[in-house]
Amino acid sequence: MWKVVWATLLLLATVCAQRGYAKETKGAPKVGHVSVVIVGGTGDLAKKYLWQGFFHLYANQVSSGYSFSFYGGGLLPKDKATPFLFEALKGVVCPRELSVERCALVKEQFLKLAGYWQLKTSEDYQALGNHLTEQLTQEGLVEAGRLFYLSVPAFAYADIAERINNSCRPTDGAWLRVVLEKPFGHDFSSAQLLSTQLGTSLKDEEMYRIDHYLGKQVVSKILPFRRENSKHLDPIWNKHHIERVEIVLKETLDARGRIPFYDQYGVIRDVIQNHLTEVMTLLTMGLPANMSDVKEVLRNKLKIFSALQHLDRNCATIGQYQNYNLEVQEELNKTKEYYSLTPTFAGIMVHIDIAQYEKMPIILTSGKMLDERLGYARILFKNDIFCVQSHNSVHCKPKQIVFYFGHGTLQYPAILVSKNLFKPDLMDTEWKEVTEHKDVSVLGMPISDYYVLTPTVQREAYAELILHIFQGRKDSFISTENLLASWGFWTPLLHGLAKTSPRLYPGGADNGNMLDFKLLGREVTFANEAVIMITQDHMGGSGARSFQVMQGKYRSAEMVSAWPEELIVRLAGDLQAAAEKAVREGGRFHLALSGGSSPLALFQRLAHHHYSFPWRDTHVWMVDERCVPLTELDSNFRTLHDHLLQHVKMPYFNIHPMPVQMNQRLCVEEDSGAMLYERDINQLVNASSFHFVLLGVGYDGHTASLFPGSKLDAHGDSLVALTESPAKPHQCMSLTLRAINQAQKVGVLVMGKSKHELVTQLSRVKDNPNKWPITGIRPTSGRLVWYIDYDALLG
């Protein structure tokens, strides 16, 4: 019964002579007993951060007249959960300023004050509420308040809040504070619903939505730094002087172990909508006249949200590390046919529509499985100095301010100001200037080129925020208005990206420059085309396939890959772009199309969506044709006509079917059909070089009607030849390798899961046109682009 009183008295006896009791002043927190309940007290977050944070609170506040009791709550019965709780409690570490003797004493008493309480039913919460009240009466304690930390999934918030409201409210005059961990919803509607549900049980001033990034010392220093250095920053903190703002969070870890949560949220919801967005508002909001005025800070943040320009899918690039889908299949028990579109990487450009920042890009980017663990916000200023000779001079280097959150090469939190900008002012003793440096570089510049400020004492973010909760400070927490404004901004982009295929990347240093993106007006695109080389490994004998993403090449050529529908959209767009360019430059577009089933979706796309395609100036040629009458269903031309040509307006003399039927005979060499087609090509196509040739590839590696085992070298300089197919009808007419390789651009379209083994095999074989005719496609001066859908690529 008396453990709280005796523990407090014992500690007070050791410190009151040195420090004295903190006298309660007007407006200060009410001194008395504080009950702390961590719901989810045996979970990972509690083990890693929360118990450590509350231990620091206890160690720093118990000598100020407060008494405490701590409860880890959870679903398990007490006898099963208590060992897990105390295993976590034993790992807490004392603040640096405590002596060894005092540390041991404080830690011993903290363990005595902590216990486990099962919180599964409404009756459990009722019993806890009764216990807290009885403890106050029995031990003669005056209650200061009750603090509930909900370290549980967000779907449980509303029920737990209702139970706290019904059964666990403190006595009159004491405060109630309920801490909520992200995520606060999945989009605007769900966040609004959750806020409404919580509002029926808790007052807004009782809710503390925690974003641990706001507890990071560098992040909490952004506004004070801007104020302290306003004489330097006010003239240059605008679009005329700032080139761009970058807010970056890079992680090396994968999502393994968090997949059930992560696959619902992805990188934008997980860290960009909250952490990086909060940093953005701190960097761009107007400075409040009173930094501690929570309402003024909120008003200034909301002004930024109201000025943010609408985001659509063109404002973002997204990626997914290659093993993510396998992890999803394993942890969510999905079949091998399941493919997740959840992004694990995103690069996003934001603009603020106010005069101060108009057209100034703000880049927010984050990802898992990147090359290093690092977080920072960089303000890159324009440099108006042109250096003729001394390029290593400090004045020739980038002008920038870096809010360095930690990790990376520097390994400690810091604010760095390049020496060609200004020397920052130090206005308090909690920060110091670093004058002795290790030989490291930060964002491409030696550390010696910066003025470096760092906290005098480094403190953990959760410990900082727990102290703020105890003090009743709400300036480091997310209000309802702030939350809904953020979700209102991000939700349209999230919905726009919902069905977009992310770019696959291998992870770590192997990413190379695959994820680099470029800014084009208000659009963001990857700087390099993603090209995938396939390898197959057997992991643990399970036969699971692993696909390594390689930069820039598939069989030493460009490649575009996407889900089938998006791939066809891309190919159709590329065709129209090539047509418009050719017509603009030469008045004609010469397009050669192959048969087979793969291009049918393309034909339909061109016929029904590309109304501005320059058909009147386009000449359509055949890559190959079966030796059957052109009116029969087996005819490639019949397929082309039925699915494309009859739906578009083009002069009939611009259509060039292969002359496989002459003199009422099919493909008789004496009729010289191949020679006639070659003559037409020479007469009409400049330098006999088609602008675009579209090919497919068969299961045996054939392309056009050039088949394995054929003596392709025998075609010599011919552009058109009669060939033999192993399947009926055996006779065909085809463009030769020479005709195809003279083209300005050759596209190879490969679609469907049935082509997966072929794509895998082709990625390994060497060029051998007689065995694999497709390997003979090597444009002499043009481009080869592979268009492979994910079904063919991933199987």
Side-chain angles (χ1 to χ4, degrees):
M1 180 189 301
W2 294 94
K3 68 176 185 176
V4 173
V5 175
W6 281 114
T8 304
L9 289 176
L10 183 59
L11 280 168
L12 287 174
T14 65
V15 298
C16 63
Q18 293 128 6
R19 299 181 57 181
Y21 291 95
K23 294 182 179 179
E24 186 174 349
T25 59
K26 187 176 181 180
K30 178 182 177 182
V31 176
H33 186 73
V34 178
S35 302
V36 175
V37 182
I38 303 179
V39 184
T42 57
D44 287 340
L45 182 67
K47 293 175 187 175
K48 291 179 179 178
Y49 300 111
L50 301 186
W51 285 117
Q52 180 64 52
F54 280 109
F55 175 60
H56 274 224
L57 174 70
Y58 173 71
N60 292 325
Q61 296 297 324
V62 71
S63 59
S64 300
Y66 290 96
S67 61
F68 292 86
S69 55
F70 298 92
Y71 302 88
L75 300 178
L76 292 175
K78 185 173 182 178
D79 59 333
K80 293 184 178 180
T82 298
F84 295 109
L85 174 65
F86 280 93
E87 190 65 31
L89 294 175
K90 290 176 184 177
V92 298
V93 179
C94 289
R96 295 178 183 177
E97 58 268 22
L98 291 190
S99 65
V100 175
E101 295 79 8
R102 178 160 165 72
C103 173
L105 177 62
V106 171
K107 191 170 182 178
E108 179 184 357
Q109 297 307 322
F110 179 71
L111 292 174
K112 290 181 179 179
L113 296 174
Y116 181 82
W117 199 279
Q118 185 176 21
L119 294 174
K120 190 174 184 179
T121 65
S122 297
E123 291 75 18
D124 292 333
Y125 282 86
Q126 183 66 57
L128 174 63
N130 294 338
H131 168 77
L132 296 179
T133 303
E134 290 170 2
Q135 182 187 39
L136 296 170
T137 303
Q138 292 174 358
E139 301 186 9
L141 301 173
V142 176
E143 187 167 35
R146 299 181 184 180
L147 195 163
F148 286 79
Y149 199 117
L150 307 192
S151 180
V152 295
F155 65 76
Y157 286 170
D159 286 343
I160 295 175
E162 182 180 12
R163 291 170 178 177
I164 292 172
N165 179 50
N166 292 339
S167 306
C168 298
R169 281 197 167 273
T171 55
D172 291 343
W175 47 257
L176 172 66
R177 290 168 192 158
V178 180
V179 188
L180 306 166
E181 271 284 347
K182 74 175 184 70
F184 313 119
H186 187 264
D187 55 14
F188 178 81
S189 298
S190 60
Q192 190 174 45
L193 176 62
L194 179 58
S195 296
T196 301
Q197 291 173 333
L198 290 171
T200 62
S201 302
L202 302 172
K203 301 173 185 176
D204 196 55
E205 62 267 23
E206 294 174 335
M207 289 185 279
Y208 287 72
R209 296 181 185 87
I210 196 167
D211 182 336
H212 79 272
Y213 245 61
L214 295 180
K216 288 183 176 291
Q217 289 171 284
V218 169
V219 175
S220 63
K221 185 67 173 176
I222 290 175
L223 287 182
F225 177 85
R226 289 178 58 194
R227 168 60 54 80
E228 293 162 6
N229 293 277
S230 58
K231 66 179 180 182
H232 304 295
L233 293 176
D234 284 355
I236 62 174
W237 206 257
N238 55 64
K239 63 184 180 184
H240 301 297
H241 296 272
I242 296 175
E243 183 174 317
R244 66 172 181 258
V245 175
E246 304 167 2
I247 306 171
V248 177
L249 175 58
K250 298 166 67 176
E251 299 182 78
T252 57
L253 297 176
D254 57 21
R256 194 177 292 274
R258 294 183 68 214
I259 293 294
F261 161 81
Y262 197 90
D263 201 52
Q264 295 183 56
Y265 285 84
V267 66
I268 298 177
R269 291 181 173 93
D270 189 33
V271 296
I272 295 179
Q273 176 272 330
N274 36 66
H275 301 335
L276 303 197
T277 301
E278 284 300 309
V279 173
M280 178 182 69
T281 60
L282 293 173
L283 290 171
T284 56
M285 63 183 277
L287 287 176
N290 181 358
M291 292 285 190
S292 60
D293 187 337
V294 176
K295 292 184 178 179
E296 185 180 5
V297 172
L298 174 60
R299 282 197 301 270
N300 290 1
K301 281 187 176 182
L302 293 178
K303 287 179 182 177
I304 292 298
F305 278 116
S306 66
L308 292 172
Q309 291 187 6
H310 172 79
L311 290 180
D312 58 36
R313 58 188 294 177
N314 293 321
C315 299
T317 57
I318 57 174
Q320 184 188 95
Y321 65 83
Q322 68 171 48
N323 284 332
Y324 177 79
N325 200 69
L326 182 61
E327 294 166 7
V328 170
Q329 292 171 357
E330 291 175 350
E331 294 193 29
L332 300 184
N333 295 317
K334 300 290 186 179
T335 65
K336 290 184 178 181
E337 287 71 35
Y338 178 82
Y339 289 103
S340 171
L341 296 180
T342 299
T344 61
F345 167 85
I348 303 166
M349 179 169 58
V350 175
H351 286 92
I352 303 176
D353 195 15
I354 57 178
Q356 184 178 1
Y357 303 122
E358 187 181 16
K359 296 183 179 179
M360 183 189 80
I362 301 173
I363 299 168
L364 286 74
T365 187
S366 182
K368 290 188 171 295
M369 291 293 287
L370 301 182
D371 58 329
E372 61 179 335
R373 185 184 181 190
L374 175 64
Y376 66 86
R378 172 164 75 160
I379 296 85
L380 180 63
F381 292 88
K382 300 173 183 177
N383 196 338
D384 55 2
I385 297 177
F386 178 78
C387 298
V388 178
Q389 292 185 195
S390 304
H391 296 288
N392 290 324
S393 168
V394 67
H395 298 292
C396 307
K397 296 181 179 180
K399 293 182 177 181
Q400 56 193 20
I401 298 174
V402 181
F403 295 93
Y404 196 92
F405 308 144
H407 306 291
T409 56
L410 198 55
Q411 289 296 311
Y412 60 84
I415 300 175
L416 303 96
V417 181
S418 56
K419 289 183 176 178
N420 56 1
L421 204 53
F422 63 86
K423 183 174 183 179
D425 294 327
L426 268 174
M427 305 295 285
D428 60 55
T429 58
E430 294 187 1
W431 285 70
K432 63 181 181 181
E433 182 177 358
V434 180
T435 54
E436 296 182 3
H437 305 293
K438 297 179 180 178
D439 185 19
V440 297
S441 294
V442 177
L443 302 184
M445 285 173 53
I447 190 70
S448 57
D449 285 347
Y450 295 98
Y451 296 111
V452 182
L453 306 180
T454 192
T456 305
V457 177
Q458 292 185 34
R459 294 188 293 271
E460 205 281 321
Y462 275 99
E464 283 286 283
L465 293 174
I466 286 171
L467 175 61
H468 291 184
I469 297 164
F470 172 74
Q471 295 171 335
R473 288 178 51 185
K474 298 208 72 174
D475 52 316
S476 299
F477 298 88
I478 309 300
S479 69
T480 302
E481 299 98 318
N482 195 135
L483 173 69
L484 295 180
S486 180
W487 275 122
F489 172 64
W490 286 106
T491 295
L493 175 66
L494 290 165
H495 289 173
L497 292 173
K499 295 184 179 180
T500 300
S501 302
R503 166 173 290 192
L504 299 178
Y505 61 95
D510 289 340
N511 295 335
N513 60 358
M514 281 197 65
L515 298 177
D516 293 351
F517 52 91
K518 57 186 175 182
L519 315 181
L520 300 171
R522 290 201 65 237
E523 295 188 1
V524 179
T525 62
F526 282 115
N528 304 284
E529 287 291 344
V531 183
I532 299 177
M533 176 77 79
I534 300 177
T535 60
Q536 182 171 337
D537 300 322
H538 294 279
M539 303 188 312
S542 64
R545 287 174 181 150
S546 172
F547 304 99
Q548 183 182 7
V549 182
M550 304 290 289
Q551 170 57 35
K553 302 296 176 185
Y554 173 79
R555 289 198 55 80
S556 302
E558 299 177 56
M559 179 182 128
V560 176
S561 185
W563 297 110
E565 182 179 351
E566 292 183 334
L567 185 68
I568 291 300
V569 170
R570 169 63 184 270
L571 176 54
D574 287 354
L575 272 171
Q576 178 156 346
E580 291 172 346
K581 181 175 184 290
V583 171
R584 188 167 58 248
E585 295 177 352
R588 293 288 184 270
F589 175 57
H590 290 281
L591 171 65
L593 296 170
S594 64
S597 59
S598 292
L600 294 183
L602 172 67
F603 296 162
Q604 293 168 1
R605 177 79 191 181
L606 289 171
H608 301 294
H609 295 276
H610 287 253
Y611 299 111
S612 62
F613 197 101
W615 291 114
R616 290 187 179 277
D617 300 308
T618 297
H619 285 252
V620 174
W621 302 80
M622 301 303 297
V623 167
D624 64 327
E625 181 60 274
R626 299 182 177 96
C627 290
V628 298
L630 299 183
T631 55
E632 290 194 6
L633 293 177
D634 284 340
S635 166
N636 289 341
F637 180 78
R638 169 70 185 273
T639 300
L640 176 63
H641 174 271
D642 290 352
H643 291 89
L644 175 61
L645 297 181
Q646 71 171 344
H647 301 291
V648 299
K649 291 183 178 181
M650 63 186 307
Y652 73 91
F653 47 78
N654 283 11
I655 301 172
H656 306 278
M658 281 184 160
V660 292
Q661 187 175 21
M662 299 180 67
N663 302 320
Q664 298 183 343
R665 301 185 296 184
L666 292 170
C667 293
V668 175
E669 193 166 351
E670 290 81 358
D671 292 334
S672 302
M675 292 180 63
L676 288 172
Y677 206 60
E678 181 171 330
R679 184 194 65 187
D680 289 346
I681 293 172
N682 286 327
Q683 288 179 348
L684 297 175
V685 182
N686 185 33
S688 302
S689 175
F690 294 105
H691 292 105
F692 201 118
V693 174
L694 181 65
L695 303 174
V697 58
Y699 299 106
D700 57 358
H702 84 265
T703 190
S705 285
L706 305 174
F707 298 96
S710 303
K711 296 180 180 180
L712 302 183
D713 295 340
H715 296 156
D717 292 333
S718 298
L719 301 181
V720 187
L722 294 176
T723 64
E724 289 288 326
S725 166
K728 292 183 179 181
H730 296 294
Q731 283 187 305
C732 299
M733 186 179 293
S734 176
L735 296 183
T736 64
L737 289 179
R738 178 171 179 265
I740 295 170
N741 286 330
Q742 286 182 174
Q744 296 180 29
K745 183 174 180 179
V746 179
V748 182
L749 179 61
V750 190
M751 300 183 69
K753 290 182 181 180
S754 60
K755 294 287 179 73
H756 170 62
E757 293 301 327
L758 171 69
V759 173
T760 304
Q761 198 164 13
L762 285 177
S763 71
R764 300 169 182 162
V765 301
K766 296 181 179 180
D767 291 349
N768 186 349
N770 288 323
K771 184 175 181 180
W772 304 94
I774 189 66
T775 65
I777 305 301
R778 297 185 296 272
T780 52
S781 58
R783 295 167 55 206
L784 170 60
V785 181
W786 292 79
Y787 294 87
I788 308 179
D789 75 355
Y790 285 153
D791 288 333
L793 193 65
L794 303 175

